[in-house]
């Protein structure tokens, strides 16, 4: 009797503990992963450990505890393909808390496999985290190729699945694969009765299951396949779960690599349908009423299926029919979708979209859906991240919030569930002072001791990013704007480039380019290009660079491609530098680089990047740097220290006021320069120069001296102010480099105070010539000297008749001087009105100057 009572107590205790401790496998199955992972959700933060064994043999495992979550990793090598049962024992201290068996499924690798991360509820497609964002439609038509460029990555097509339509279904599936769109393949016509009392397909259950089998066998290996969609609202339609379970088992037997999905409408019946699907979708459709039902239903499904299934939201994108007297507005669509994101949805599929503004009818409504698509793609690494996130709450209960963490970065989302604007405060668990980037708005706010103050519009959404302090991998001398594609102002679009087509004749409207957070070498993003057909993709053209004739430059990029039978190639070119390089990509990140010597000077050196062949590729860390890099530092004694660096491991040799050769001085450490002149350096490989650079070092007596300028320079070209003329910083051939003083319609009249009477032999003034930009050299340059700053005498002058069109160039005018002087005055006569034969004819020319040298 005692034994029976004890057994009963143990069973009751086990049930209670099972409710407290959730133990599950990280992924629904494994492919090429080297390690498996068992997750325990604990009732407290005690000292827990998990022991694993296979056929009574203890497995070596490594455990990590984060709060009330215990993760235990173990090697998968010992497990065969198929299903293996592991025994686990969860202990707290020396006490066994819970034990049981858990199945580990290991499948042979497959290219188009889709897994479920049961910790987050997110999908892994083709080996990458995947946040499905799409819509129902019927038929597909040209929607996949048109909507992929608007940020959508998935569609679900209503179809009849009859054999006579097989060719059309294969056509749209093939096109989806080309443009990078995944498909929820609809087989709902084959499972159960029709909708809302309709009889449905006029076939017996056996005939429908036979067609279902053929459909699965036809498309289970298709690269566009994401999942099988088998039913619409069976809970509300009164369909028995057993019918769906039979279809589910058939599909999973034929294709264990792809999940099965169903959309539901009655959360209270969630447990009844637990064994019918892998993806539970919910379609609240609350508009024109309050949107609260979205959160209510989604929260119930997320709780019911947590750590077991993926839960998606089907936001309402229709109206003006049946009991819905209007469509949602664009603001309401944003509101519902963001409710889904903070409520735990791991996929978004709008109901419904048809071309020609048939559904939804409002252009602004579908534009709002498209906007959220690209925003969600940009946030997807956070939305699918397993990393524990800080606490967050708003001072207004109608403002819904959620925090996400990813690789040390934090994302905060706030949603205003009222149709009126507000001032609000967010309080987080981040006890720090930081800058919060307002993603999708191009502004910033301050997070002070974890508290953030802001405003939010009616039904508005706010997304804030707090970046981790991470070391940059970008070289300091890089000339590419936004080389890591990290700076994003418009959602999904890194700044610093524009786009054209590889071939206008072959241009494919489904070609796309976006910032992708799922693949990157540094930071949080890479640039992803999808080229649907050979030569049919996009060409990315970066902001122009300034390059100098005779100098060498190294271009480097990290890249990889999605695996395919014939790996694609990409081209990187700089037309102005006569550079055109093509490389074949691999499925792993590789560095591709080349070094060249500039055949001409240019301020319009545009680097272009394109994926030539059909495929998907990612690019990161695109840099262009001088090689070797010569820099100098002006010292307090009016000398300079020169440093030379290179990206290679070859020797560097340098020379002053001439080009280096194999016998020139070997560079080993920074060296001093006492007189202004050109420093040239070369990289040598076994006595042969393979790269070279040069720089002018403006060492002179005027460095750091006070300057007085008689006529004001333009505020937009103010450089460092008056001190620009004696700070030792030389301008480049790019007039927007920030190192030039610009005068419009005014002469240069600058006086340098040497501090005391100084022997002077020569005065040099530097100018920029860029007639195509309206910048002309002065007609005349004069130098005056004075001992008292009041009485000046002319020391010399030089006339100029050079204003050469073409690429900009730098020009120095040097005038000999005799005697001692404390004050040196330099004047430059502005060119005046631009004459015939030049751009901007008749307008006033500019005069640009950067340095006065006294020797």
């Amino acid at each position: 009797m005692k034994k029976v009572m004890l057994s009963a107590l143990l069973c009751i205790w086990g049930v209670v503990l099972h409710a407290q401790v959730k133990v599950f496998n990280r992924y629904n199955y494994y492919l090429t992963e080297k390690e498996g992972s068992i997750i325990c959700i604990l009732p407290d933060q005690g000292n827990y450990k998990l022991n694993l064994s296979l056929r009574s043999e203890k497995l070596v495992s490594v455990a990590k505890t984060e709060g009330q979550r215990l993760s235990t990793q173990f090697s998968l090598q010992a497990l065969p393909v198929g299903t293996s049962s592991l025994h686990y024992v969860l202990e707290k201290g020396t006490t066994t808390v819970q034990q049981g068996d858990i199945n580990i499924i290991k499948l042979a690798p497959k290219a188009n496999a889709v897994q479920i991360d049961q910790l987050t509820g997110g999908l892994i497609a083709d080996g990458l985290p995947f946040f499905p964002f799409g819509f129902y439609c019927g038929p597909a038509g040209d929607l996949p190729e048109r909507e992929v460029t608007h940020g959508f990555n998935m569609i679900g097509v209503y179809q009849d699945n009859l054999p006579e339509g097989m060719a059309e279904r294969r056509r749209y599936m093939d096109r989806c694969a080309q443009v990078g769109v995944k498909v929820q393949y609809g087989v709902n016509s084959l499972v159960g009765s029709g909708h809302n009392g309709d009889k449905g397909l006029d076939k017996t259950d056996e005939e429908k299951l036979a067609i279902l089998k053929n459909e699965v066998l036809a498309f289970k290996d298709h690269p566009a396949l994401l999942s099988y969609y088998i039913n619409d609202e069976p809970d509300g339609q009164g369909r028995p779960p057993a019918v769906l379970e039979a279809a589910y088992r058939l599909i999973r037997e034929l294709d264990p690599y792809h999940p099965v999905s169903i959309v539901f409408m009655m959360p209270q019946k969630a447990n009844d349908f637990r064994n019918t699907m892998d993806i539970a979708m919910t379609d609240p459709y609350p508009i024109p009423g309050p949107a609260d039902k979205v959160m209510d239903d989604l929260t119930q499904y997320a709780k019911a299926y947590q750590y077991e299934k993926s839960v998606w939201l089907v936001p309402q994108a229709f109206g003006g029919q049946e009991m819905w007297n209007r469509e949602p507005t664009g603001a309401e669509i944003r509101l519902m979708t963001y409710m889904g994101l903070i409520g735990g949805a791991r996929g978004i599929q709008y109901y419904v979209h048809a071309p020609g503004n048939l559904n939804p009818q409002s252009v602004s409504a579908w534009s709002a859906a498209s906007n959220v698509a690209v925003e969600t793609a940009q946030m997807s690494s956070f939305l699918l991240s397993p990393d524990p996130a800080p606490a967050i709450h708003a001072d207004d209960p109608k403002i819904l919030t959620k925090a996400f963490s990813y690789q040390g970065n934090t994302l905060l989302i706030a949603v205003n569930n009222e149709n009126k604007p507000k001032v609000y405060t967010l309080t987080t668990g981040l006890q720090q002072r930081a800058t919060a980037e307002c993603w999708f708005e191009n502004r910033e706010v301050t997070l002070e001791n974890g508290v953030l103050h802001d405003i939010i519009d009616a039904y508005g959404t706010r997304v804030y990013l707090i970046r981790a302090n991470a070391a940059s991998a970008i070289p300091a001398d890089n000339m590419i704007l936004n080389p890591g594609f990290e700076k994003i102002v418009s959602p999904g679009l890194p700044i610093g480039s524009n786009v054209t087509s590889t071939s206008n004749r072959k241009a494919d409207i489904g070609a796309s380019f976006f910032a992708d957070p799922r693949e990157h070498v540094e930071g949080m993003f890479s640039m992803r290009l999808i080229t649907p057909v050979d030569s049919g993709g996009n060409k990315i053209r970066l902001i122009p660079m300034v390059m100098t004739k005779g100098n060498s430059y190294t271009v480097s990029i990290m890249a990889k491609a999605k695996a395919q039978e014939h790996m694609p190639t990409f081209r990187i070119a700089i037309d102005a530098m006569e550079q055109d390089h093509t490389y074949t990509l691999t499925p792993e990140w590789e560095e591709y680089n080349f070094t060249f010597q500039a055949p001409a000077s240019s301020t319009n050196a545009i680097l272009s990047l394109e994926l030539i062949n059909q495929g998907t590729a990612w690019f990161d860390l695109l840099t262009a740097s001088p090689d070797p890099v010569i820099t100098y530092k002006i010292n307090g004694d009016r000398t300079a220290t020169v440093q030379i660096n290179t990206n290679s491991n070859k020797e560097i040799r340098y020379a002053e006021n001439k080009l280096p050769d194999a016998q020139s001085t070997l560079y080993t450490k920074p060296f001093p320069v006492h007189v202004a002149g050109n420093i040239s350096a070369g990289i040598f490989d076994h006595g042969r120069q393979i790269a070279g650079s040069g720089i002018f070092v403006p060492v002179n007596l005027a460095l750091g001296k006070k300057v007085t300028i008689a006529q004001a320079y333009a505020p937009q070209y103010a450089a460092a102010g008056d001190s620009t003329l004696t700070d030792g910083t030389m301008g480049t051939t790019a007039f927007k480099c920030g190192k030039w003083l610009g005068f419009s319609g005014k002469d240069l009249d600058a006086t340098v105070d040497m501090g005391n009477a100084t022997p002077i032999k020569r005065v040099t003034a530097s100018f920029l010539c860029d007639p195509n930009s309206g910048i002309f050299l002065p007609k005349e340059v004069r130098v005056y000297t004075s001992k008292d700053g009041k009485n000046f005498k002319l020391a010399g002058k030089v006339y100029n008749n050079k204003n050469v069109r073409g690429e900009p160039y730098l020009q120095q005018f040097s005038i000999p001087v005799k005697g001692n002087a404390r004050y040196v005055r330099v004047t430059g006569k502005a060119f005046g009105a631009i004459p015939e034969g030049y751009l901007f004819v008749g307008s006033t020319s500019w005069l640009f100057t950067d340095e006065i040298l006294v020797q």
Side-chain angles (χ1 to χ4, degrees):
M1 182 68 180
K2 289 182 179 180
K3 290 183 179 180
V4 172
M5 290 180 61
L6 179 59
S7 297
L9 287 172
L10 285 172
C11 289
I12 294 172
W13 183 46
V15 170
V16 171
L17 283 176
H18 183 72
Q20 291 176 326
V21 180
K22 180 73 173 178
V23 181
F24 58 95
N25 192 23
R26 173 72 186 270
Y27 300 105
N28 63 331
Y29 64 86
Y30 295 91
L31 292 167
T32 60
E33 295 86 354
K34 294 182 179 179
E35 290 187 332
S37 179
I38 303 297
I39 310 293
C40 300
I41 306 300
L42 307 169
D44 54 56
Q45 298 188 35
N47 181 26
Y48 290 89
K49 65 177 180 178
L50 187 72
N51 298 311
L52 301 175
S53 59
L54 173 66
R55 296 185 293 272
S56 301
E57 294 287 334
K58 187 175 181 180
L59 291 179
V60 177
S61 60
V62 177
K64 178 182 179 182
T65 302
E66 292 177 306
Q68 291 178 228
R69 190 171 83 201
L70 173 66
S71 303
T72 301
Q73 279 70 45
F74 60 94
S75 174
L76 288 170
Q77 290 183 342
L79 273 63
V81 171
T83 301
S84 300
S85 180
L86 296 188
H87 186 72
Y88 72 86
V89 178
L90 179 66
E91 298 176 341
K92 183 177 183 181
T94 59
T95 303
T96 297
V97 174
Q98 185 170 304
Q99 59 181 310
D101 296 316
I102 190 165
N103 287 334
I104 306 296
I105 301 174
K106 184 176 177 182
L107 300 180
K110 185 174 182 178
N112 72 330
V114 177
Q115 300 163 275
I116 296 178
D117 181 342
Q118 297 181 145
L119 175 58
T120 67
L123 302 187
I124 299 97
D126 300 317
L128 291 175
F130 184 74
F131 194 105
F133 203 106
F135 50 85
Y136 289 86
C137 63
D142 64 354
L143 287 175
E145 61 193 15
R146 293 192 178 277
E147 296 297 346
V148 69
T149 58
H150 297 157
F152 294 95
N153 61 17
M154 180 267 292
I155 64 170
V157 182
Y158 281 116
Q159 52 197 12
D160 60 20
N161 304 105
L162 295 176
E164 52 265 34
M166 176 65 77
E168 172 58 24
R169 295 196 294 279
R170 189 170 296 280
R171 187 203 65 79
Y172 87 74
M173 288 287 285
D174 290 347
R175 183 57 173 157
C176 285
Q178 279 187 325
V179 300
V181 168
K182 291 290 186 180
V183 178
Q184 274 233 83
Y185 192 79
V187 291
N188 46 303
S189 70
L190 304 173
V191 182
S193 59
H195 210 61
N196 293 340
D198 185 83
K199 182 182 178 181
L201 190 63
D202 189 18
K203 301 281 184 181
T204 66
D205 288 345
E206 291 75 15
E207 289 172 331
K208 288 192 288 187
L209 285 178
I211 298 173
L212 175 61
K213 180 178 180 179
N214 289 335
E215 286 283 83
V216 174
L217 293 176
F219 291 104
K220 67 186 183 70
D221 296 322
H222 200 283
L225 180 64
L226 181 71
S227 57
Y228 299 96
Y229 179 74
I230 67 170
N231 227 244
D232 274 333
E233 302 171 341
D235 45 354
Q237 299 289 326
R239 298 187 191 105
V243 174
L244 282 74
E245 290 176 14
Y248 175 71
R249 287 194 299 269
L250 174 63
I251 293 172
R252 293 312 306 266
E253 287 172 6
L254 297 171
D255 182 4
Y257 291 93
H258 293 94
V260 172
S261 66
I262 298 175
V263 67
F264 298 105
M265 60 185 297
M266 302 177 69
Q268 64 270 27
K269 293 188 176 183
N271 194 56
D272 297 343
F273 292 87
R274 184 175 298 276
N275 299 319
T276 64
M277 47 69 216
D278 309 293
I279 299 170
M281 306 165 70
T282 179
D283 56 356
Y285 304 157
I287 306 302
D292 300 67
K293 184 171 171 56
V294 171
M295 285 295 291
D296 293 342
D297 287 12
L298 186 59
T299 301
Q300 292 183 67
Y301 282 111
K303 183 178 180 181
Y305 296 138
Q306 189 176 27
Y307 308 130
E308 184 180 345
K309 302 181 186 298
S310 186
V311 176
W312 296 9
L313 175 67
V314 179
Q316 179 184 348
F318 72 97
Q321 63 213 64
E322 302 176 32
M323 75 269 305
W324 295 277
N325 61 28
R326 69 170 177 86
E327 293 179 340
T329 64
E332 288 169 333
I333 283 182
R334 287 188 65 87
L335 171 67
M336 290 187 291
T337 310
Y338 266 87
M339 279 181 164
L341 300 182
I342 67 175
R346 294 298 178 259
I348 299 291
Q349 186 169 339
Y350 291 105
Y351 182 84
V352 60
H353 182 43
N357 301 328
L358 298 180
N359 270 306
Q361 301 169 71
S362 167
V363 174
S364 63
W366 192 247
S367 293
S370 177
N371 289 340
V372 185
V374 289
E375 292 170 18
T376 300
Q378 187 168 319
M379 295 186 289
S380 62
S381 57
F382 288 93
L383 301 175
L384 299 176
S385 172
D387 299 347
I392 178 176
H393 71 271
D395 60 344
D396 185 326
K398 282 292 186 177
I399 295 181
L400 313 174
T401 60
K402 186 70 177 289
F404 300 87
S405 292
Y406 173 69
Q407 295 185 348
N409 305 287
T410 303
L411 199 73
L412 311 176
I413 299 180
V415 177
N416 182 8
N417 194 21
E418 282 194 299
N419 197 13
K420 60 181 180 181
K422 299 177 179 181
V423 176
Y424 73 108
T425 298
L426 291 181
T427 302
T428 75
L430 299 170
Q431 298 303 313
Q432 64 186 82
R433 188 181 194 280
T435 297
E437 299 174 26
C438 299
W439 264 10
F440 323 132
E441 298 179 64
N442 194 29
R443 65 185 179 94
E444 297 177 343
V445 294
T446 300
L447 183 79
E448 188 74 54
N449 295 323
V451 178
L452 182 153
H453 305 281
D454 202 4
I455 57 175
I456 192 168
D457 44 334
Y459 285 158
T461 61
R462 291 286 183 268
V463 179
Y464 307 95
L465 172 68
I466 297 96
R467 294 183 185 267
N469 294 322
S472 175
I474 309 299
D477 49 24
N478 166 60
M479 301 185 296
I480 298 288
L481 176 65
N482 198 22
F485 310 110
E486 298 297 310
K487 181 66 175 176
I488 300 173
V489 175
S490 298
L493 179 65
I495 69 167
S497 63
N498 63 82
V499 67
T500 183
S501 298
T502 292
S503 167
N504 291 331
R505 184 174 60 86
K506 297 181 179 180
D508 192 305
I509 64 171
S512 61
F513 60 100
F514 285 104
D516 194 336
R518 303 172 304 159
E519 288 278 13
H520 49 83
V521 177
E522 63 91 41
M524 293 191 294
F525 297 98
S526 65
M527 171 76 86
R528 185 193 73 230
L529 299 182
I530 297 180
T531 296
V533 296
D534 290 354
S535 301
N538 295 305
K539 178 189 290 187
I540 308 299
R541 289 166 48 86
L542 278 65
I543 296 297
M545 299 174 287
V546 178
M547 292 184 168
T548 303
K549 181 179 181 180
N551 282 2
S552 295
Y553 300 88
T554 294
V555 174
S556 174
I557 190 169
M558 298 294 295
K560 66 175 292 187
K562 182 179 176 180
Q564 59 187 54
E565 183 178 358
H566 300 289
M567 294 302 292
T569 58
F570 77 96
R571 175 183 290 122
I572 187 166
I574 309 175
D575 291 344
M577 296 291 110
E578 301 173 3
Q579 297 298 306
D580 190 321
H581 300 265
T582 302
Y583 304 98
T584 300
L585 291 161
T586 74
E588 304 298 328
W589 283 107
E590 302 281 354
E591 181 181 10
Y592 304 88
N593 59 67
F594 59 90
T595 298
F596 66 94
Q597 191 171 34
S601 293
S602 176
T603 58
N604 196 39
I606 297 175
L607 185 148
S608 63
L609 175 67
E610 56 196 316
L611 181 63
I612 301 171
N613 304 115
Q614 176 183 350
T616 300
W618 293 267
F619 301 93
D620 203 355
L621 279 179
L622 172 54
T623 62
S625 303
D627 194 11
V629 180
I630 309 174
T631 58
Y632 63 85
K633 177 184 177 183
I634 299 298
N635 304 315
D637 60 355
R638 287 184 288 283
T639 64
T641 300
V642 175
Q643 183 170 334
I644 309 174
N645 295 307
T646 179
N647 296 316
S648 72
N649 57 0
K650 310 299 182 183
E651 67 180 23
I652 303 173
R653 296 185 179 273
Y654 69 93
E656 298 184 38
N657 296 316
K658 64 177 182 179
L659 295 177
D661 55 32
Q663 282 70 49
S664 296
T665 305
L666 180 68
Y667 176 82
T668 58
K669 62 181 180 180
F671 57 91
V673 171
H674 301 277
V675 179
N678 291 297
I679 302 296
S680 297
I683 301 173
F684 288 83
D685 183 13
H686 297 92
R688 182 177 65 89
Q689 184 174 338
I690 59 175
S693 295
I695 194 172
F696 179 74
V697 182
V699 173
N700 70 100
L701 299 175
L703 286 171
K705 300 300 185 181
K706 181 180 178 181
V707 181
T708 302
I709 299 178
Q711 300 200 73
Y713 37 82
Q716 66 268 40
Y717 301 113
D722 293 0
S723 64
T724 299
L725 300 183
T726 58
D727 64 0
T729 301
M730 305 299 294
T732 70
T733 51
F735 70 90
K736 292 182 179 180
C737 69
K739 299 176 182 178
W740 291 104
L741 288 183
F743 298 83
S744 177
K746 298 178 181 178
D747 297 338
L748 169 67
D749 190 343
T751 301
V752 180
D753 183 355
M754 302 297 292
N756 48 51
T758 303
I760 299 174
K761 295 183 178 179
R762 183 173 296 276
V763 175
T764 303
S766 300
F767 298 90
L768 171 65
C769 184
D770 186 2
N772 287 340
S773 300
I775 302 169
F776 284 68
L777 296 175
K779 289 183 175 180
E780 177 187 85
V781 176
R782 295 190 176 202
V783 172
Y784 301 85
T785 59
S786 172
K787 294 182 178 180
D788 58 9
K790 298 178 181 179
N791 300 300
F792 285 86
K793 65 177 182 179
L794 180 65
K797 60 183 176 181
V798 60
Y799 295 100
N800 168 56
N801 57 6
K802 293 178 60 178
N803 275 297
V804 181
R805 282 180 291 181
E807 286 292 340
Y809 62 93
L810 308 177
Q811 181 68 48
Q812 291 186 338
F813 295 102
S814 186
I815 297 174
V817 176
K818 294 181 180 180
N820 297 344
R822 174 175 174 176
Y823 298 92
V824 177
R825 179 185 175 199
V826 178
T827 64
K829 183 68 175 176
F831 186 84
I834 298 177
E836 292 283 349
Y838 290 90
L839 294 174
F840 314 111
V841 59
S843 62
T844 301
S845 66
W846 285 85
L847 185 149
F848 272 48
T849 185
D850 67 343
E851 199 76 12
I852 293 174
L853 290 77
V854 177
Q855 295 162 322

